[in-house]
Amino acid sequence: MKHPIPTRIYITQEEMPEYWYDLRAEMKEKPDPILHPGTLQPVMAADMEPVFCKESVKQELDSTTRLVPIPEGILDFYRAYRPSALIRAFYLEKELGTPAEIYYKFEGINTSGSHKLNSAGPQAFYAKEEGLECLSTETGAGQWGTAMAMACGFFGLGLTVYMVKVSSEQKPYRKAVMETYGAKVIPSPSNTTEAGQKILKENPDTGGSLGCAISEAVETAVKTSKCRYVLGSVLDHVLLHQSVIGMEARTALDKYGIKPDIIIGCAGGGSNFGGLIAPFMGEKIAEKSSTRFIAVEPASCPSFTRGRYVYDFGDTAKMTPLMRMQTLGNGFIPSSSHAGGLRYHGMSPVLSKLYHDGYLEARSETQTGIFDAAVRFMKSEGILPAPESSHAIKAAIDEALECKRSGEKKVILFCLSGTGYFDLSAYMSYNAKTLTDEIPTDEELEQGFASIPDIPQNR
Ligand SMILES: *Cc1c(COP(=O)(O)O)cnc(C)c1O
């Protein structure tokens, strides 16, 4: 079959964006400021610099620069694996019999297997520039830890990764990749930090959680000389780095005069979705487009669709600053699911604000539903998707089927955030029909909400 346009719409390396796009600059109402947990006043750079690299703090606190130049050292890092392909899903469209055009930006073609490398590179680069020697971080399913291990290997920095204990047991291959790149991987909770010791004392058999691993990583950064902490999602500077996805997609679509009607992404902390939508949402806010934006989250961890828009901590030990975001409460521990990268109680403050103000929609999907969609996708498109990304696939398929019913020829764009090669145990469960859907009850959500701090801003 000859296609009217190529199935892979590449841009050249010369056409790669040289700027990141900060969506906040376009927002009429900005997200609420991050608060110091002690004083409840907006945080200052000096409050954050003991924890984060200086440049990350600067980017985090600057909400007015729309186009941020990407330093040459980071462009050079990006050129090792970018631009990523923008693919026209002709085969999926045919399988669905839809008049819709479906496009996806595939971020899984690098060893870490996901978009996370797009922010890992810049964060390691800035740490090196600042003269730091090592970084610490946490990883849930392992994608962020792997991306950071690659970036630290590239820029010559040490790295300690606190890996949620259940994942380190379930995903030994992830651990092997990180260690091969030179990272030190510690299952969390561990005895290496006070936060870990405290959690272990209260709950010796716990399999750990992302919130708890964050507490350990932050503590390590603060207590180690020339070491800082890096986070792989949620924060504004991470979304900024991920805007490379949207900027590339925009350049590629413009080449063919294509304007998306619907843009979809899975949302854990919101970075791949926030990165993809950045320039397109900017246009919508400026009232130059009427594109719809859909964030898709797991029914087991529904921070958009069932969460609250309040100030909350980013971690279980309540050490981080307070962010106003869609949250299930820092004490919420989602049931184990195969979309490990989406198991976080909170959500990007930028996306939370946009959701609150009606600029984007959100929906939740069950595990069994997203694996059905994943298989349908891989059989037609040939790519094995990550379970996280399959949330976006599910919504793209549903929207395309809606077009089939209505006869509308909409243009759908989604982010295929990663590959599923490290998630084969999930596919094994799917094949064995042992996957279950664990949807929290209202009572379980109440327990999480009870951990939200009772501060005047939340009353
Ligand atoms: C981590 C991860 C996600 C979720 O993170 P966001 O910050 O919401 O993008 C989604 N997909 C993949 C493949 C991931 O590794």
Side-chain angles (χ1 to χ4, degrees):
M1 177 166 83
K2 274 246 174 71
H3 301 296
I5 64 163
T7 55
R8 274 159 170 73
I9 306 172
Y10 281 107
I11 55 171
T12 65
Q13 289 201 323
E14 285 71 43
E15 291 168 315
M16 276 171 62
E18 289 173 1
Y19 293 88
W20 288 307
Y21 187 103
D22 195 335
L23 186 48
R24 286 175 296 174
E26 206 66 68
M27 290 168 73
K28 290 178 185 131
E29 268 184 52
K30 310 280 181 219
D32 289 292
I34 302 177
L35 300 184
H36 186 288
T39 63
L40 300 184
Q41 293 301 309
V43 287
M44 306 295 228
D47 300 322
M48 294 181 83
E49 283 171 1
V51 178
F52 294 98
C53 303
K54 281 203 174 78
E55 189 62 29
S56 301
V57 173
K58 194 176 139 224
Q59 292 176 345
E60 191 65 27
L61 299 180
D62 174 3
S63 61
T64 55
T65 312
R66 187 156 55 95
L67 292 175
V68 179
I70 308 175
E72 180 52 38
I74 297 174
L75 284 174
D76 191 46
F77 179 81
Y78 280 168
R79 285 187 205 108
Y81 68 100
R82 303 197 70 83
S84 71
L86 180 72
I87 304 176
R88 171 77 184 268
F90 281 114
Y91 305 92
L92 178 65
E93 288 168 20
K94 192 168 163 224
E95 210 277 307
L96 299 173
T98 175
E101 290 177 22
I102 308 174
Y103 297 84
Y104 55 97
K105 185 82 170 142
F106 184 34
E107 291 294 322
I109 313 176
N110 67 72
T111 293
S112 76
S114 82
H115 65 287
K116 294 207 172 66
L117 201 54
N118 302 334
S119 183
Q123 295 199 51
F125 172 83
Y126 290 131
K128 190 71 185 179
E129 289 266 286
E130 194 180 325
L132 301 173
E133 288 169 1
C134 56
L135 293 170
S136 72
T137 196
E138 74 292 329
T139 197
Q143 289 99 319
W144 172 245
T146 312
M148 270 320 299
M150 289 177 72
C152 287
F154 188 87
F155 288 109
L157 289 159
L159 176 70
T160 305
V161 181
Y162 286 92
M163 185 169 187
V164 176
K165 193 187 274 168
V166 279
S167 321
S168 74
E169 287 159 7
Q170 280 168 359
K171 301 197 170 180
Y173 296 137
R174 280 273 179 207
K175 189 161 174 270
V177 178
M178 287 185 261
E179 287 173 343
T180 310
Y181 274 106
K184 184 169 154 198
V185 182
I186 303 173
S188 165
S190 76
N191 277 318
T192 65
T193 62
E194 278 173 37
Q197 286 162 9
K198 183 160 172 276
I199 294 163
L200 280 176
K201 205 165 163 193
E202 285 163 9
N203 201 346
D205 299 321
T206 176
S209 72
L210 210 48
C212 150
I214 294 177
S215 307
E216 290 206 272
V218 172
E219 185 182 326
T220 298
V222 175
K223 288 185 177 164
T224 311
S225 90
K226 297 207 171 185
C227 183
R228 293 291 184 280
Y229 166 72
V230 284
L231 186 65
S233 186
V234 185
L235 296 178
D236 295 334
H237 67 276
V238 181
L239 264 75
L240 177 71
H241 304 153
Q242 293 297 352
S243 70
V244 68
I245 305 173
M247 294 293 270
E248 280 183 12
R250 186 52 206 279
T251 307
L253 291 173
D254 279 352
K255 262 177 127 170
Y256 289 86
I258 301 159
K259 294 239 176 288
D261 297 304
I262 305 174
I263 305 185
I264 299 169
C266 65
S271 74
N272 84 87
F273 181 60
L276 174 67
I277 71 173
F280 302 97
M281 179 61 90
E283 284 190 358
K284 169 144 170 164
I285 295 172
E287 292 169 17
K288 288 184 200 140
S289 92
S290 53
T291 306
R292 279 172 63 205
F293 299 88
I294 308 173
V296 194
E297 61 187 7
S300 58
C301 192
S303 21
F304 270 126
T305 51
R306 295 172 72 195
R308 292 191 181 156
Y309 184 52
V310 291
Y311 272 103
D312 194 12
F313 291 98
D315 71 325
T316 315
K318 302 180 196 266
M319 284 163 61
T320 68
L322 294 161
M323 288 175 290
R324 184 153 184 219
M325 58 183 175
Q326 288 290 134
T327 180
L328 296 167
N330 60 76
F332 178 77
I333 300 201
S335 64
S336 70
S337 102
H338 287 292
L342 304 182
R343 292 178 71 226
Y344 182 64
H345 66 270
M347 183 54 63
S348 143
V350 172
L351 296 184
S352 299
K353 173 73 177 157
L354 290 168
Y355 178 68
H356 188 72
D357 292 351
Y359 285 100
L360 62 89
E361 303 161 40
R363 61 179 71 159
S364 70
E365 297 292 348
T366 61
Q367 188 160 240
T368 45
I370 65 107
F371 274 94
D372 288 339
V375 171
R376 206 162 179 186
F377 175 83
M378 63 193 270
K379 281 187 179 163
S380 48
E381 289 294 311
I383 296 174
L384 176 79
E388 290 87 352
S389 320
S390 303
H391 289 72
I393 297 175
K394 170 77 168 69
I397 290 179
D398 287 346
E399 289 300 321
L401 290 175
E402 185 53 39
C403 287
K404 185 176 177 177
R405 276 186 288 274
S406 68
E408 280 175 288
K409 192 176 182 304
K410 290 199 176 135
V411 176
I412 300 169
L413 167 66
F414 73 90
C415 186
L416 187 67
S417 52
T419 83
Y421 278 112
F422 283 103
D423 301 285
L424 292 174
S425 64
Y427 282 96
M428 285 160 75
S429 308
Y430 175 80
N431 294 337
K433 301 198 165 38
T434 56
L435 278 186
T436 52
D437 291 321
E438 302 202 15
I439 300 168
T441 61
D442 288 340
E443 290 77 54
E444 281 162 344
L445 290 188
E446 282 304 326
Q447 285 174 19
F449 293 144
S451 65
I452 292 170
D454 182 22
I455 58 172
Q457 285 83 347
N458 281 346
R459 283 177 212 140

